[in-house]
Amino acid sequence: MKIVADREACASAGMCALTAPGYFDQDDEDGRVVLLAEEAEGRDDDVADAVRLCPASALRVEP
Ligand code: SF4
């Protein structure tokens, strides 16, 4: 699955970096999401949780 993050929509809440730290980090300056990997592999559940928990609906996955 391809991971897509909308930095414009991101509210810098940090849930994604806590939930799936192998895939998401936060920008040191503005706190917005930084994608560490563009494809979800073995830990799909973590990525799915991050998508579900994002308060700004800024994350999604595509087949
Ligand atoms: S959980 Fe959503 S709003 Fe929070 S940093 Fe990640 S992408 Fe941005």
Side-chain angles (χ1 to χ4, degrees):
M1 292 187 299
K2 179 178 171 59
I3 306 169
V4 180
D6 181 350
R7 283 179 48 85
E8 294 303 315
C10 175
S12 307
M15 287 301 296
C16 55
L18 289 173
T19 306
Y23 291 96
F24 305 101
D25 199 356
Q26 287 181 272
D27 188 292
D28 287 339
E29 293 190 359
D30 62 15
R32 292 186 187 186
V33 62
V34 175
L35 266 186
L36 301 179
E38 295 191 353
E39 293 284 336
E41 295 177 0
R43 294 165 57 210
D44 289 358
D45 287 351
D46 288 351
V47 174
D49 285 347
V51 170
R52 182 172 54 83
L53 293 170
C54 174
S57 300
L59 304 175
R60 68 180 193 274
V61 289
E62 298 177 347

